[in-house]
Amino acid sequence: MNSQSDTLKSSSPSPDEELESSLIQRKDELSMEIDPPSNPSATAEDWRNALSRVVPAVVVLRTTACRAFDTESTGASYATGFVVDKRRGIILTNRHVVKPGPVVAEAMFLNREEIPVYPIYRDPVHDFGFFRYDPGAIQFLNYEEIPLAPEAACVGLEIRVVGNDSGEKVSILAGTLARLDRDAPHYKKDGYNDFNTFYMQAASGTKGGSSGSPVIDCQGRAVALNAGSKSSSASAFFLPLEQVVRALKFLREGRDLSPDKWPAPSIPRGTLQVTFFHKGFDEIQRLGLQRDTELIVRRASPSEETGMLVVDSVVPGGPAHMHLETGDVLVHVNGEVMTQFLKLENLLNDSVNRKIELQVERGGTSMTVELLVQDLHSITPNYFLEVSGGVMHPLSYQQARNFRFNCGLVYVADPGYMLFRAGVPRHAIIKKFAGEEISCIEQLISVLSKLSRGARLPLEYVTYADRHRRKSVLVTIDRHEWYAPPRLYARDDSTGLWTVKPALTTNSLHQEPIMKHVSEVDTLRLTIDKNDVFLMEDTQRDSQKLVDTTISMETNSDHVSEGILPRGETEGSNKKVKIEEYSPANGIVNADSSLLEHREQNLEDSTIRETATLLENQSTAAVASHTSVAESVIEPTLVMFEVHVPPSFMVDGVHSQHFFGTGVIIHHSESMGLVVVDKNTVAISASDVMLSFAAFPIEIPAEVVFLHPVHNYALVAYDPSALGAVGAKMVRAAKLLPEPPLRRGDTVYLVGLSRSLQATSRKSIITNPCAALTVGSADCPRYRAINMEVIELDTDFGSTFSGVLADEQGRVQAIWGSFSTQLKYGYSSSEDHQFVRGIPIYTISQILDKILSGAKGPPRLINGVKWPMPRVRSLEVELYPTLLSKARSFGLSDEWVQALVKKDSQRRQVLRVKGCLAGSKAENILEQGDMVLAINKKPVTCFLDIENVCQELDKDADTDGNLSMTIFRQGRETEVVVGTDVRDGNGTVRAINWCGCIVQDPHPAVRALGFLPEEGHGVYVTRWCHGSPAHRYGLYALQWIVEVNGKPTPDLDAFVKVTKEIQDGEFARVRTIHLNGKPRVLALKQDLHYWPTWELRFDPETSQWCRTTIKALDTAVV
């Protein structure tokens, strides 16, 4: 035997000679393969006939991703599909069109007939999927299905791409197949990418909207599926159809076995969780492939074979993990040479849950491994958990491959509100929550079921960009009903919908009750025992721990916020709270019938005595520490705000979800603490506010209790008992100094907090104590300060620093607040900016006095006690000052000029009308350009004069609220009677979400534009949600809904009544009027399955924001 082998070896050519001979032969064969196909001369008539059959079967797909899922985010888009089975009603398109998550789609045929389509299959790996439709729904179009012919694809084949290119309904692009073995295109590192397949390439120049288009030959057969393109060139990428044909065969068989309804498809798909690349023989030789092995492979492979499969990556935890490595060259599978993706994939699909034997070469060494083929569908998520608007589900094979994590981990597809507040980004992997390790969705649900509203708990996560380090943040469970309770969605392929059910068996997210005061030992130790996290309802924490959290800020700078886990709050539906009325005559009655009034007075008196003592001590300490006395006095009164606005209630044109700012405590007693801050920090009342105190290291929640209708400030209340005994003594209210007003040249101290809660101050000079503020309207109307005079300084700390202006003794004379504006560049470009100015303290002091004295107003529950919140009477007219020298040019008499100068020799101005707020009592009386000379026969020269006159009206119980005004209009002096309006400080307290658009009463910034539709103006669209019917059909913001199905909607109640009559899947005819006055009519299809109608309203009796379902499907959970 040995001698025979030696003889054969000596008489046979060497491997190198045989390899060279084989290469020459293959080169000749390969040159024959790239010749034009057998029918290269297709005529124009041939193409005309082919296209006449193809075009009617091509449809425009309008898809809406209702939830973020896996690699896809929410949104609406257009794409292309084509009919591949007319009798059964099957449309082929791309996977990224069908979407891996919830999707609502419609198909429009050539004759503009529109029908709903439902997803029945999307491949876990390759970029193809199928929609189904009812063939009987197409009544007026003759069309035929497009046959699939993957075998017809060859280099040099002339093709046409028929689809919805660049949004056009029908577009036909020509090209020639140039390659059949292109690597699968790589779209993005954290999104969908196809792999383990070849792609075809042609210079057809397809663009957006052509995804899913058929690539046809002159016979009208689809030879490939258009999938993507390269934006920097005309190259287009086409998916081969072999796996599409196989999947379609299974779908047809399943449908034939179940003629009554579509069954859930059962298409076997196997995987080793390995990504292969196809590399040329020369490159593989450099990886260590033996020459003998290459010869064996070349002999066993087709003549056109140019390379082999090489392992590119292995997913951790998969069947091949610890067995295969990057760079391994695949030689045999089950004893058969394996060099092609298609052949390997077919073998895996036929071997699900069975073992196969792989022979690989690793650095020239042959190895054999036995691997179990995994079911690919088992690692493709088909359900998700929705919590606080966020979406979490098991990590898919697609993303596990991108990120190199194990499949099945808890993946954040959309952080929603709760996780966004904590700084958890999209694509994060949750590893630990509330002290418990999290490896699957079920464990996360178990943890959530134990939590209470308002609880703050640590969460650890990792990201693919920083995979080796865990990040720790504090997650706050929503204290208000911003969102529906946690729920689970599961995919039902038989219906094409995702069924929904509650994630928690009981309403576990109840409100936390009041905790006992934190003891001195607790507050000094500042550590926490994580085992006591769930005992916050009944036990006092033994310790508390600082948790570092990285937060993304709207000011484009990062910082680390430190704080401790705060106490829970009082409000709640499951725990009854004794509510007492505020009576200025009898004091505040406590549950034990004692009077809080005397205790509060004693506390205030003691605070004054302590302040006097501290002033002397802090003066000495200030000299020693090189800080001003004012800074030492003010520092314990300063508070850092962190404000989050839930996306479900982003009303009043608020332009961001996240705000920072500095406020000052203006009242601090046993029952209530009040902090004043600018409205660029607290923009709306529906906010989650966290306060960090400069005097004491603690972070506690607070509630917005008053938003001034005109001035740029808000009042926020906190519970002093949450500070603990030590904290309540260290924190104190600032002393306010409303009189005398600041004058030009006065010296003040600007004191505020840095982001690290360090007090910062500087001595400044008043340059203008009464600068009239002019802020233009933003593209999306939001609060802007009008009719305000502000204070300007010679030097400050920049546009992001806020605080207070104080005298040498630390008495607050103004708050240094932030104002929002929008700078516009050209006609359509704009950018949000902010600036800081001083707001005199006297306007704030007046409102505070009314609250504490029990002035008339709607009651507001604060820390279990009802306090009156004052209403504000104002003249709803936007005014601006004009110099008297200019007014004289308009014809103002010398007599009035002298009278106004005598009234105010400093300003030397007259107020002119810029416009009236729409719907105000002054709207049809005052006109633009009117000069306001006097009110009630008394000259007026500034905004404060008008405010004082309005406040005088409130002192008269029998007042009719009218002002007698002397105005100068078009050269004539005229007397008019103008009514005033009364507004509360609640802001917007009600909004309705219908079909994904948020509607509300028009807020003051909208009315300030001077226009309200005559047809009705009570239903203003302030926001819309991505992936909603409003998004799909174009019901966007900045317009009023004045009519639905021919019925007027003058207010929100009428709107609710009309929309409740609309059924799921029914189209509604909606008439709208834009801010510019342009009317529009659109048809919108209601989708109660994914977008039920609900209302969010503030309940003053409980101080809770409550969510109420208005209309939903019986099977939906809201």
Side-chain angles (χ1 to χ4, degrees):
M1 184 70 179
N2 292 336
S3 61
Q4 184 180 3
S5 300
D6 293 340
T7 305
L8 289 173
K9 183 175 181 181
S10 61
S11 61
S12 301
S14 66
D16 289 340
E17 293 173 344
E18 186 170 345
L19 182 60
E20 183 178 357
S21 174
S22 176
L23 287 173
I24 295 174
Q25 180 182 357
R26 277 173 167 74
K27 187 174 181 180
D28 294 337
E29 294 173 351
L30 192 60
S31 66
M32 295 295 294
E33 191 63 25
I34 62 174
D35 284 343
S38 57
N39 185 22
S41 56
T43 64
E45 186 64 27
D46 294 335
W47 280 112
R48 241 188 322 269
N49 293 334
L51 291 173
S52 66
R53 298 192 303 272
V54 168
V55 170
V58 177
V59 299
V60 176
L61 293 172
R62 181 165 56 185
T63 63
T64 307
C66 306
R67 300 290 190 276
F69 189 85
D70 196 15
T71 57
E72 307 298 322
S73 58
T74 56
S77 59
Y78 286 87
T80 306
F82 58 99
V83 177
V84 293
D85 193 315
K86 178 181 178 181
R87 182 171 67 85
R88 298 175 182 87
I90 302 177
I91 293 174
L92 172 64
T93 187
N94 290 128
R95 175 194 186 271
H96 68 263
V97 177
V98 177
K99 312 291 183 188
V103 64
V104 175
E106 297 167 349
M108 182 171 65
F109 282 76
L110 182 64
N111 65 341
R112 296 184 178 272
E113 285 191 73
E114 297 181 15
I115 58 171
V117 295
Y118 304 93
I120 50 175
Y121 180 74
R122 74 283 293 148
D123 194 79
V125 172
H126 300 314
D127 199 6
F128 74 91
F130 296 95
F131 284 110
R132 65 172 176 85
Y133 69 97
D134 179 9
I138 303 300
Q139 303 178 17
F140 307 102
L141 177 68
N142 293 321
Y143 66 98
E144 297 296 331
E145 64 189 47
I146 298 178
L148 304 181
E151 69 283 354
C154 61
V155 174
L157 178 68
E158 189 177 357
I159 58 169
R160 299 290 186 271
V161 181
V162 184
N164 174 34
D165 191 69
S166 298
E168 299 296 333
K169 185 169 180 288
V170 177
S171 181
I172 302 173
L173 302 175
T176 302
L177 289 183
R179 292 182 62 185
L180 304 182
D181 58 352
R182 188 198 188 280
D183 292 335
H186 183 81
Y187 298 117
K188 54 194 305 187
K189 62 182 180 181
D190 55 7
Y192 171 74
N193 295 291
D194 205 342
F195 56 95
N196 288 349
T197 183
F198 284 129
Y199 265 63
M200 304 177 193
Q201 180 177 324
S204 60
T206 58
K207 301 295 181 183
S210 61
S211 293
S213 300
V215 180
I216 65 167
D217 63 4
C218 62
Q219 300 180 43
R221 302 175 299 177
V223 299
L225 178 67
N226 185 47
S229 62
K230 197 171 185 178
S231 58
S232 60
S233 67
S235 297
F237 311 130
F238 309 138
L239 177 72
L241 295 180
E242 286 82 2
Q243 291 300 324
V244 176
V245 172
R246 175 179 177 270
L248 181 60
K249 175 176 175 291
F250 280 99
L251 291 178
R252 286 168 169 167
E253 292 175 352
R255 177 57 170 163
D256 292 342
L257 294 175
S258 179
D260 296 333
K261 57 177 289 188
W262 272 94
S266 177
I267 301 175
R269 295 285 276 115
T271 183
L272 299 175
Q273 294 194 35
V274 178
T275 301
F276 291 96
F277 272 174
H278 191 274
K279 296 182 180 295
F281 283 112
D282 287 348
E283 185 175 356
I284 296 175
Q285 286 179 12
R286 295 192 291 270
L287 295 176
L289 181 69
Q290 299 180 22
R291 303 282 283 184
D292 291 342
T293 305
E294 180 182 349
L295 181 59
I296 293 172
V297 172
R298 284 185 179 275
R299 285 176 175 173
S301 303
S303 58
E304 64 272 14
E305 183 56 75
T306 59
M308 299 174 65
L309 297 179
V310 180
V311 175
D312 176 64
S313 63
V314 179
V315 176
H321 186 225
M322 306 299 291
H323 298 286
L324 297 181
E325 295 181 1
T326 300
D328 288 351
V329 181
L330 182 63
V331 181
H332 294 96
V333 178
N334 289 345
E336 185 178 359
V337 171
M338 195 67 61
T339 62
Q340 290 291 312
F341 289 118
L342 181 60
K343 188 176 180 181
L344 174 61
E345 192 165 39
N346 287 336
L347 188 147
L348 294 177
N349 291 339
D350 295 336
S351 305
V352 176
N353 296 325
R354 297 205 302 266
K355 290 185 176 181
I356 60 174
E357 185 180 82
L358 282 76
Q359 181 190 346
V360 299
E361 279 201 10
R362 181 179 300 167
T365 302
S366 180
M367 301 178 58
T368 301
V369 296
E370 190 176 59
L371 302 178
L372 178 67
V373 179
Q374 190 176 18
D375 183 2
L376 184 53
H377 297 298
S378 68
I379 55 174
T380 302
N382 59 358
Y383 68 96
F384 66 86
L385 172 68
E386 188 175 50
V387 180
S388 187
V391 173
M392 288 150 279
H393 60 74
L395 185 66
S396 69
Y397 179 31
Q398 277 284 341
Q399 295 292 50
R401 171 183 170 272
N402 289 336
F403 302 157
R404 288 192 51 76
F405 287 123
N406 290 34
C407 291
L409 298 177
V410 179
Y411 167 73
V412 179
D414 185 347
Y417 177 57
M418 183 178 75
L419 295 183
F420 170 82
R421 282 187 64 186
V424 179
R426 190 184 175 207
H427 305 312
I429 305 294
I430 297 176
K431 305 295 288 186
K432 196 173 185 179
F433 189 30
E436 296 189 24
E437 292 291 335
I438 303 294
S439 60
C440 62
I441 291 293
E442 290 71 24
Q443 292 176 347
L444 179 60
I445 293 174
S446 176
V447 172
L448 287 172
S449 66
K450 305 173 186 176
L451 304 183
S452 300
R453 289 192 178 274
R456 304 194 76 199
L457 305 159
L459 179 144
E460 295 180 9
Y461 70 92
V462 294
T463 63
Y464 69 91
D466 193 9
R467 59 185 303 109
H468 303 295
R469 293 184 299 178
R470 290 190 179 188
K471 296 178 176 62
S472 179
V473 296
L474 275 179
V475 172
T476 303
I477 307 300
D478 293 346
R479 298 177 62 246
H480 298 280
E481 296 177 358
W482 305 128
Y483 292 89
R487 46 193 179 179
L488 276 171
Y489 284 82
R491 191 180 71 212
D492 183 357
D493 287 323
S494 62
T495 64
L497 299 175
W498 290 62
T499 59
V500 57
K501 66 178 182 179
L504 308 180
T505 55
T506 59
N507 186 18
S508 302
L509 295 180
H510 52 274
Q511 196 74 20
E512 278 195 340
I514 296 179
M515 288 181 56
K516 298 179 181 179
H517 291 181
V518 182
S519 66
E520 292 187 22
V521 176
D522 297 337
T523 56
L524 292 176
R525 289 178 61 188
L526 294 176
T527 57
I528 184 169
D529 182 358
K530 63 183 179 181
N531 295 323
D532 293 336
V533 167
F534 300 118
L535 303 179
M536 288 190 291
E537 294 183 12
D538 304 313
T539 62
Q540 184 177 351
R541 295 193 184 110
D542 293 330
S543 54
Q544 297 184 342
K545 178 182 179 183
L546 290 174
V547 181
D548 295 339
T549 173
T550 302
I551 301 172
S552 175
M553 300 185 304
E554 295 302 328
T555 54
N556 295 325
S557 61
D558 297 332
H559 85 296
V560 176
S561 174
E562 296 183 346
I564 65 172
L565 299 180
R567 292 188 324 106
E569 290 299 301
T570 306
E571 300 83 11
S573 57
N574 295 338
K575 181 176 177 64
K576 295 182 179 180
V577 179
K578 187 176 180 65
I579 300 173
E580 308 297 343
E581 297 288 346
Y582 180 89
S583 172
N586 301 322
I588 304 175
V589 183
N590 200 357
D592 58 0
S593 300
S594 62
L595 295 181
L596 293 182
E597 183 184 64
H598 305 295
R599 296 207 311 239
E600 289 188 16
Q601 185 64 42
N602 293 336
L603 182 61
E604 295 290 342
D605 294 341
S606 64
T607 301
I608 295 174
R609 290 194 298 270
E610 289 176 6
T611 302
T613 305
L614 285 170
L615 279 175
E616 182 178 355
N617 296 335
Q618 290 170 342
S619 177
T620 305
V623 173
S625 62
H626 304 287
T627 61
S628 65
V629 175
E631 178 182 326
S632 301
V633 173
I634 290 295
E635 182 178 7
T637 70
L638 296 180
V639 175
M640 177 63 74
F641 277 75
E642 184 177 6
V643 182
H644 286 88
V645 179
S648 60
F649 204 82
M650 290 189 70
V651 297
D652 293 359
V654 61
H655 61 286
S656 178
Q657 286 183 241
H658 196 193
F659 299 92
F660 282 91
T662 301
V664 60
I665 301 171
I666 59 174
H667 177 77
H668 181 71
S669 65
E670 289 187 357
S671 61
M672 179 179 66
L674 286 178
V675 186
V676 63
V677 70
D678 59 75
K679 287 170 69 173
N680 195 32
T681 301
V682 175
I684 62 175
S685 55
S687 304
D688 282 313
V689 181
M690 296 301 296
L691 304 181
S692 297
F693 293 78
F696 185 67
I698 192 170
E699 186 179 36
I700 63 173
E703 296 291 340
V704 183
V705 296
F706 184 82
L707 292 165
H708 199 283
V710 178
H711 292 301
N712 181 30
Y713 72 86
L715 299 183
V716 176
Y718 64 88
D719 184 0
S721 65
L723 298 171
V726 175
K729 291 181 179 179
M730 297 181 68
V731 172
R732 65 174 182 268
K735 183 173 180 58
L736 307 184
L737 187 63
E739 296 291 342
L742 289 169
R743 296 175 299 177
R744 179 177 298 162
D746 285 352
T747 298
V748 294
Y749 289 85
L750 171 58
V751 187
L753 294 176
S754 67
R755 291 292 166 83
S756 58
L757 284 181
Q758 299 297 316
T760 306
S761 66
R762 77 183 312 159
K763 195 174 184 178
S764 299
I765 304 297
I766 302 293
T767 58
N768 190 347
C770 52
L773 198 63
T774 302
V775 179
S777 179
D779 295 334
C780 179
R782 61 176 184 252
Y783 170 77
R784 60 186 180 94
I786 62 173
N787 299 348
M788 281 188 65
E789 289 185 342
V790 294
I791 300 168
E792 295 178 344
L793 300 179
D794 59 344
T795 56
D796 56 31
F797 289 105
S799 62
T800 61
F801 184 87
S802 56
V804 299
L805 300 181
D807 65 1
E808 293 182 350
Q809 302 178 39
R811 296 175 295 183
V812 175
Q813 296 173 288
I815 66 171
W816 191 246
S818 175
F819 292 78
S820 175
T821 185
Q822 192 175 74
L823 300 182
K824 298 186 178 182
Y825 308 99
Y827 180 74
S828 59
S829 178
S830 61
E831 184 178 345
D832 290 328
H833 280 265
Q834 63 182 25
F835 61 92
V836 284
R837 295 290 187 273
I839 303 172
I841 201 66
Y842 57 78
T843 61
I844 301 168
S845 179
Q846 291 172 353
I847 295 297
L848 177 62
D849 291 342
K850 290 181 180 181
I851 294 175
L852 298 181
S853 64
K856 293 181 180 180
R860 175 67 182 258
L861 186 69
I862 304 176
N863 303 328
V865 177
K866 286 187 176 181
W867 292 80
M869 290 294 113
R871 292 186 173 94
V872 177
R873 182 181 295 277
S874 64
L875 180 67
E876 292 198 332
V877 178
E878 186 173 357
L879 304 167
Y880 67 98
T882 296
L883 294 176
L884 290 176
S885 57
K886 296 285 186 183
R888 189 190 296 272
S889 301
F890 281 98
L892 187 63
S893 66
D894 290 341
E895 180 182 357
W896 271 110
V897 170
Q898 294 174 7
L900 294 175
V901 170
K902 182 179 180 180
K903 168 68 170 59
D904 191 340
S905 60
Q906 179 183 1
R907 291 182 175 85
R908 296 174 178 268
Q909 66 186 22
V910 63
L911 297 179
R912 299 191 69 184
V913 175
K914 185 176 183 179
C916 299
L917 272 68
S920 67
K921 294 180 180 178
E923 181 179 15
N924 297 319
I925 301 175
L926 296 179
E927 298 178 2
Q928 184 177 1
D930 288 348
M931 296 183 188
V932 180
L933 305 178
I935 299 179
N936 297 335
K937 304 301 182 181
K938 296 180 181 180
V940 295
T941 59
C942 63
F943 305 128
L944 182 59
D945 291 342
I946 297 179
E947 286 186 35
N948 291 336
V949 173
C950 291
Q951 290 182 15
E952 289 295 325
L953 293 176
D954 288 334
K955 296 179 181 179
D956 184 1
D958 298 328
T959 181
D960 56 3
N962 292 332
L963 299 176
S964 177
M965 301 181 65
T966 304
I967 63 173
F968 184 75
R969 177 186 297 168
Q970 297 179 357
R972 297 176 57 186
E973 181 181 326
T974 307
E975 297 287 336
V976 295
V977 176
V978 182
T980 56
D981 295 271
V982 178
R983 306 293 177 188
D984 59 34
N986 293 330
T988 298
V989 294
R990 183 189 184 191
I992 295 170
N993 188 304
W994 177 67
C995 291
C997 72
I998 302 175
V999 298
Q1000 64 167 106
D1001 285 322
H1003 52 94
V1006 173
R1007 297 192 299 113
L1009 299 178
F1011 169 71
L1012 291 175
E1014 296 180 358
E1015 297 88 339
H1017 51 260
V1019 185
Y1020 175 73
V1021 181
T1022 186
R1023 290 275 172 175
W1024 53 271
C1025 304
H1026 286 273
S1028 66
H1031 184 191
R1032 189 188 332 161
Y1033 297 103
L1035 183 56
Y1036 299 135
L1038 309 184
Q1039 54 188 334
W1040 285 272
I1041 298 177
V1042 298
E1043 191 178 282
V1044 177
N1045 287 341
K1047 298 179 180 179
T1049 54
D1051 52 45
L1052 292 178
D1053 290 331
F1055 178 76
V1056 169
K1057 183 178 180 181
V1058 172
T1059 55
K1060 285 179 71 173
E1061 300 173 356
I1062 305 171
Q1063 302 303 314
D1064 179 56
E1066 182 179 333
F1067 275 91
R1069 183 178 179 271
V1070 181
R1071 185 169 183 266
T1072 65
I1073 296 180
H1074 196 269
L1075 277 177
N1076 59 18
K1078 182 179 180 180
R1080 180 179 175 224
V1081 175
L1082 58 90
L1084 181 145
K1085 186 178 182 181
Q1086 180 158 261
D1087 179 6
L1088 295 177
H1089 185 82
Y1090 297 116
W1091 299 95
T1093 305
W1094 51 265
E1095 176 185 51
L1096 199 59
R1097 188 195 293 250
F1098 179 75
D1099 183 2
E1101 295 297 320
T1102 61
S1103 288
Q1104 287 290 303
W1105 290 87
C1106 302
R1107 180 188 178 103
T1108 304
T1109 300
I1110 296 175
K1111 188 176 181 64
L1113 292 178
D1114 295 337
T1115 57
V1117 178
V1118 293

